[in-house]
Amino acid sequence: MKKILLVLWISCLSIVSQAQDEKLRIAVLDPTTGGTAMDETKLAVQEIISSTIVATGKYIVIERSMIDKILKEQAFQNSDVADNSQATEIGKLAGAHKVVLSAVSMVGGRNMLSIKMIDVATASIDGKHSKTKICNSNDLLDIVEPLTMEMLGLEANYAKQTIDFTQPQRQTPIETPKPHTKPYIDIEQLSFYIWKQDEVGFLDWKMAHEVCSVKGEGWRLPTTDELQKMSFFINDIKNMNGYNNNFKYWSSESKSKGSAYYYDVRKRDKDNDDKSDADKCVRCVRSK
């Protein structure tokens, strides 16, 4: 009888262990911040993301202490983990299948939160697992949980109205777009597609990259050469000035570690500025 009970107990442990092994292991890194977002919000956002993932019962979240140990041993700074390859390396060292990156920034008096999940094996981001929302500054923590659920592909109901930043926004009401309407402009003479509208407000260089990447695979900031070519078709690119009128657009090109190039499409002039300055327009492009 004792032997039978022992066998049953061992079998139960084996089943539980196997079930846990089948769950995906996720490393949740601290959010990056931009604009005027407060650093003290980072811990709260990270904790809500982690607890939300754990609560689903579908994943194993790697202990924060292990992540901190890896960051220390590898001389990484958690707050600087924005590069996919670096995040993937941390995920591998932590034994994770996926890595969750998030970013918090204040844009035009509102907070923007973006969350994306990187596959450690392929170092790629699935567009379905990359979400961004804009909300009033007081509502930031309220949207973390539902946005995390959306990032995981699970249903979530928002208690408060938010703006879906993964879709183009307009200030004035328009007719409902026809089905299958392309969200980009295709100018035959150009070798790249242009997103129909500028992004909302002014952004710093880092967040400019973020808002383009969340649109899906291939969407990115244009090079200065592409911005110059766009300037010759300014009359064909409707609402080129978008929500602002300074016509200065971030390019994808860095001049140094702390500065990047931008292009004034009205003056057709290339210049550079500090990457942390949230005062440039953003128009995303994608190669054909």
Side-chain angles (χ1 to χ4, degrees):
M1 183 65 179
K2 289 182 178 180
K3 289 184 178 179
I4 294 175
L5 290 174
L6 179 61
V7 170
L8 289 174
W9 181 69
I10 293 174
S11 298
C12 288
L13 287 179
S14 176
I15 292 172
V16 171
S17 176
Q18 183 178 358
Q20 287 190 338
D21 288 341
E22 291 175 352
K23 292 182 179 180
L24 290 177
R25 292 169 57 84
I26 296 180
V28 180
L29 304 185
D30 283 357
T32 57
T33 55
T36 55
M38 303 299 289
D39 286 343
E40 54 262 31
T41 65
K42 293 170 59 176
L43 179 59
V45 171
Q46 193 270 351
E47 288 296 336
I48 295 174
I49 293 174
S50 295
S51 61
T52 300
I53 295 174
V54 171
T56 66
K58 299 177 180 292
Y59 309 95
I60 297 173
V61 174
I62 294 172
E63 290 291 337
R64 180 186 176 89
S65 58
M66 178 181 292
I67 300 296
D68 290 339
K69 182 179 180 182
I70 292 171
L71 292 171
K72 184 177 180 180
E73 290 177 350
Q74 301 298 317
F76 288 144
Q77 293 295 320
N78 203 343
S79 60
D80 294 332
V81 179
D83 180 80
N84 289 1
S85 61
Q86 183 171 314
T88 301
E89 182 64 23
I90 293 172
K92 289 179 180 178
L93 293 172
H97 301 101
K98 309 283 185 180
V99 174
V100 172
L101 292 178
S102 57
V104 181
S105 183
M106 181 168 284
V107 182
R110 292 176 295 173
N111 279 117
M112 180 168 71
L113 172 65
S114 64
I115 307 176
K116 60 185 177 182
M117 187 156 63
I118 299 174
D119 186 282
V120 172
T122 63
S124 63
I125 303 172
D126 186 340
K128 294 180 180 179
H129 297 294
S130 182
K131 302 294 178 181
T132 299
K133 292 285 180 181
I134 287 183
C135 66
N136 294 327
S137 58
N138 294 331
D139 299 336
L140 173 62
L141 297 183
D142 293 332
I143 71 168
V144 179
E145 180 179 353
L147 191 61
T148 301
M149 294 290 283
E150 286 190 15
M151 182 270 298
L152 295 172
L154 303 175
E155 291 185 4
N157 295 318
Y158 282 83
K160 299 188 179 183
Q161 180 84 17
T162 58
I163 301 173
D164 186 348
F165 202 64
T166 61
Q167 300 297 324
Q169 305 295 320
R170 295 178 185 263
Q171 287 181 317
T172 55
I174 59 170
E175 296 180 0
T176 303
K178 297 179 180 179
H180 311 299
T181 298
K182 294 179 180 178
Y184 57 82
I185 298 168
D186 182 5
I187 296 177
E188 185 178 353
Q189 295 92 327
L190 299 180
S191 61
F192 52 92
Y193 298 119
I194 305 167
W195 193 258
K196 277 190 175 181
Q197 290 182 283
D198 288 356
E199 302 308 313
V200 178
F202 300 116
L203 301 176
D204 62 33
W205 191 72
K206 185 176 180 181
M207 291 310 301
H209 276 283
E210 284 286 339
V211 297
C212 289
S213 66
V214 298
K215 293 186 182 301
E217 184 177 356
W219 287 102
R220 55 179 173 78
L221 279 179
T223 64
T224 51
D225 181 62
E226 288 171 333
L227 284 167
Q228 182 183 37
K229 291 176 181 177
M230 288 165 63
S231 70
F232 291 104
F233 296 92
I234 193 168
N235 292 326
D236 299 308
I237 304 172
K238 297 179 180 180
N239 297 322
M240 188 63 186
N241 61 320
Y243 291 90
N244 41 69
N245 57 11
N246 76 351
F247 290 92
K248 296 176 181 177
Y249 288 79
W250 281 121
S251 82
S252 60
E253 301 162 10
S254 293
K255 180 182 181 183
S256 64
K257 184 177 180 180
S259 66
Y261 289 105
Y262 68 87
Y263 191 83
D264 190 321
V265 296
R266 181 169 52 184
K267 296 180 179 179
R268 292 179 182 167
D269 181 48
K270 174 182 175 181
D271 205 342
N272 66 89
D273 207 346
D274 195 290
K275 291 179 178 179
S276 63
D277 288 346
D279 61 355
K280 302 293 185 297
C281 311
V282 176
R283 180 67 71 111
C284 305
V285 301
R286 190 187 75 191
S287 300
K288 293 182 180 179

